Amino acid sequence: MKRYLAPVVLSLATALAGCQSLPSSSSSSSADQPVTLRGTGDLGLIIERATGSVLVIDHSEHEILGRVEGLGDLSHASVVYSRDARYGYVFGRDGGLTKVDLLTRTISERVIQGGNSIGGAISQDGRYVAVSNYEPGGVNIFDAETLETLMEIPAVYTNAEGEQGQSKTVGLVDAPGNQFVFSLFEAGEIWTVDMHSTPPDVARYDAGKEPYDSLITPDGRYYIAGLFGEDGLSMMDLWAPEKGAQTILPDYGKGEQRLPVYKMPHLEGWAIADGYAFVPAVGRHEVLVANMTDWSMVDRIPVQGQPVFVMSSPDNRQIWVSFAHPKNDVVQVIDSQTRKIIRTLAPGKSVLHMEFTPRGEEVWVSSRDSDRVTVYSTRTLEPVATLPAHKPSGIFFTSRAHRLGL
């Protein structure tokens, strides 16, 4: 049920106390060159996590166009895009929010907005960028054009002992109706922010124990948070938020021996295919399959390790699975109809991320400890190109600009 409004601090004229603007930085090779007249639809960014840099790539030509440096700690970085797909907003682990111009391959704006950031989102209308923070817990919202601070939402809650604390915020996504939705780890809550209202309306709902990550279904209706503190997941119907969150898949793993969890799955990489959700099982060598009609579990697919990303190709025919340490040098491909593994691939050491091209003819796979990105054909399941990169992790194509929840 909806409980009460969260405390909100608005600051329309000045930035948050502690927000620090940093000078722009760019690769010297790009800064002196004229901008090439071209579209942005086949561009993207690859995170180079060890060097605080990103590669600007052309996925049509399998080409690296340039490198942008000076983005800080990118050990757990993600990217969203402006509506015109020219600008990428890079969320760094050090609290940095960096606006990168893909055409000039330079930093347009950069601020340090928190102490430990875990991702962000851009609003449906493209006007606002929100950042989710571990330290201090809460969500900050910025003007997408200037990165001026517009709003601070402290994640304040009261624990079982009646003491007030500030929770880590996770699983921040954009939603229809110009909303942001996110979860509070310690508080066990889901909050929504309506950016259409003035001031923005913040509502909070009870969820399960320790939500650690989340996703929103492609149609923007269901927000689903994975639960670290209990078996199951917490799901909220954004068409009827007054019903609150309900627990789905509550029984998986109950009464069974769990393995140590080497890396938490990333739920934003869930596969939704043919009316079923393919879910990475926490601490298990399985991909779970749920019927989205009633969210009952209908199958468990054994895989070679603990799954981290479980991603469907754009046509939903294939499910690609990456894994946690120590078996993180392979990717397995599952046929979504037969639910059988059809190929095990070896892209390189320490596979971290995968990204399908917009129409799904290829998938790009980063291998951090092999310093490369491998491009596979989804038809032949054979490599078609490799690109060098410094400790690559996340791969983000500009097609994300036109999709919810990414």
Side-chain angles (χ1 to χ4, degrees):
M1 295 180 61
K2 180 175 177 179
R3 295 172 54 202
Y4 50 87
L5 295 183
V8 176
V9 177
L10 294 177
S11 176
L12 298 176
T14 61
L16 287 174
C19 259
Q20 172 188 359
S21 294
L22 300 180
S24 295
S25 171
S26 65
S27 61
S28 58
S29 61
S30 300
D32 300 330
Q33 296 177 0
V35 177
T36 301
L37 183 63
R38 61 159 300 152
T40 59
D42 58 356
L43 300 185
L45 293 174
I46 296 175
I47 302 296
E48 295 185 306
R49 58 182 289 152
T51 53
S53 55
V54 294
L55 295 177
V56 182
I57 60 91
D58 177 338
H59 61 69
S60 293
E61 302 296 331
H62 303 150
E63 182 182 2
I64 297 172
L65 302 179
R67 173 177 285 114
V68 183
E69 300 172 323
L71 280 74
D73 183 356
L74 299 184
S75 57
H76 192 291
S78 60
V79 181
V80 298
Y81 289 98
S82 59
R83 287 166 65 95
D84 61 5
R86 175 171 179 174
Y87 298 99
Y89 299 87
V90 183
F91 307 101
R93 193 59 185 259
D94 57 0
L97 168 59
T98 310
K99 183 179 180 181
V100 175
D101 188 329
L102 275 69
L103 293 184
T104 63
R105 299 192 285 281
T106 59
I107 290 176
S108 175
E109 303 287 344
R110 177 169 163 81
V111 297
I112 296 293
Q113 57 79 46
N116 189 334
S117 178
I118 199 65
I122 189 166
S123 61
Q124 186 179 35
D125 63 6
R127 294 174 58 193
Y128 309 106
V129 174
V131 187
S132 178
N133 289 303
Y134 275 4
E135 296 176 6
V139 167
N140 297 333
I141 299 177
F142 300 85
D143 182 286
E145 180 67 26
T146 65
L147 297 194
E148 176 190 4
T149 304
L150 299 179
M151 183 176 182
E152 178 187 12
I153 308 173
V156 176
Y157 76 106
T158 303
N159 63 23
E161 289 73 37
E163 301 169 334
Q164 195 171 72
Q166 192 140 323
S167 179
K168 299 182 184 70
T169 52
V170 297
L172 173 63
V173 300
D174 62 288
N178 226 37
Q179 295 185 90
F180 292 117
V181 188
F182 57 94
S183 297
L184 282 69
F185 180 78
E186 288 87 357
E189 296 178 353
I190 295 170
W191 291 13
T192 63
V193 185
D194 182 356
M195 297 303 296
H196 274 313
S197 62
T198 304
D201 177 59
V202 180
R204 49 198 294 178
Y205 305 85
D206 289 322
K209 187 176 180 181
E210 296 179 343
Y212 66 89
D213 195 11
S214 68
L215 65 89
I216 191 168
T217 52
D219 61 2
R221 177 171 183 176
Y222 295 103
Y223 177 87
I224 302 171
L227 302 177
F228 188 70
E230 61 181 280
D231 286 330
L233 305 105
S234 196
M235 183 186 74
M236 188 167 165
D237 184 348
L238 297 178
W239 290 9
E242 67 279 0
K243 295 180 179 178
Q246 68 178 93
T247 300
I248 60 174
L249 301 181
D251 299 322
Y252 87 82
K254 286 278 188 191
E256 299 181 25
Q257 181 70 35
R258 281 195 178 189
L259 298 170
V261 178
Y262 295 108
K263 184 176 176 63
M264 294 302 294
H266 284 259
L267 296 191
E268 284 191 8
W270 264 30
I272 305 293
D274 195 27
Y276 296 93
F278 292 76
V279 184
V282 178
R284 301 177 62 87
H285 294 183
E286 293 178 338
V287 172
L288 310 178
V289 185
N291 186 325
M292 293 181 65
T293 302
D294 58 6
W295 293 101
S296 61
M297 188 166 63
V298 297
D299 204 355
R300 302 170 182 251
I301 304 172
V303 289
Q304 66 94 40
Q306 294 181 16
V308 175
F309 283 101
V310 178
M311 301 176 67
S312 61
S313 56
D315 63 2
N316 292 336
R317 290 297 304 274
Q318 297 174 351
I319 311 298
W320 286 59
V321 185
S322 66
F323 299 95
H325 176 82
K327 297 184 177 181
N328 59 349
D329 58 348
V330 303
V331 170
Q332 291 191 304
V333 185
I334 298 170
D335 183 289
S336 65
Q337 291 188 309
T338 66
R339 300 176 191 161
K340 304 294 184 184
I341 295 171
I342 57 176
R343 188 74 64 89
T344 297
L345 306 171
K349 299 177 182 177
S350 297
V351 172
L352 291 188
H353 200 252
M354 302 175 291
E355 181 85 335
F356 289 93
T357 50
R359 296 194 178 195
E361 76 282 358
E362 292 176 348
V363 59
W364 289 45
V365 183
S366 64
S367 302
R368 181 193 63 199
D369 293 347
S370 293
D371 292 306
R372 68 171 178 252
V373 172
T374 305
V375 183
Y376 286 92
S377 164
T378 54
R379 182 178 63 84
T380 66
L381 302 182
E382 297 292 336
V384 296
T386 58
L387 291 83
H390 300 321
K391 305 301 177 192
S393 55
I395 305 171
F396 305 93
F397 295 154
T398 54
S399 52
R400 288 172 171 254
H402 312 296
R403 295 167 60 190
L404 287 167
L406 294 178

